Amino acid sequence: MTVAKPQAESKRKVLLYPGEDGYFVVEVPSLPGCISQGKTREEAVANIEEAIALYIEVLQERGESVPEDRVEVVLV
């Protein structure tokens, strides 16, 4: 199994929040369904970096376009 390395162009804005089970949950709004978690914030971020790289790799292998990261954070 080949593990994709995170690349600079794959940096994305993510949502990071505590889950009900005590783990940190991380979602990537610009990549639907790209979600991960970890016991610590650091582990969750490392896991989502890998998930982002793999998600983009699969899109590219399928010849599909990679969505732009157009997330805007607004406090309401």
Side-chain angles (χ1 to χ4, degrees):
M1 178 174 146
T2 303
V3 177
K5 303 261 189 228
Q7 299 176 356
E9 67 269 8
S10 65
K11 295 290 184 189
R12 300 280 169 151
K13 291 181 184 84
V14 300
L15 301 175
L16 174 68
Y17 54 91
E20 294 177 11
D21 58 1
Y23 280 67
F24 285 91
V25 178
V26 190
E27 298 184 42
V28 186
S30 63
L31 302 175
C34 190
I35 302 171
S36 192
Q37 64 179 13
K39 290 182 182 179
T40 64
R41 292 171 62 94
E42 294 77 17
E43 180 180 32
V45 169
N47 290 342
I48 202 64
E49 286 175 339
E50 182 178 353
I52 290 168
L54 291 171
Y55 189 108
I56 291 172
E57 182 181 312
V58 169
L59 288 177
Q60 292 172 337
E61 286 175 359
R62 293 178 177 174
E64 298 178 24
S65 62
V66 177
E68 289 185 35
D69 190 24
R70 294 183 160 179
V71 175
E72 181 179 350
V73 177
V74 179
L75 293 177
V76 179

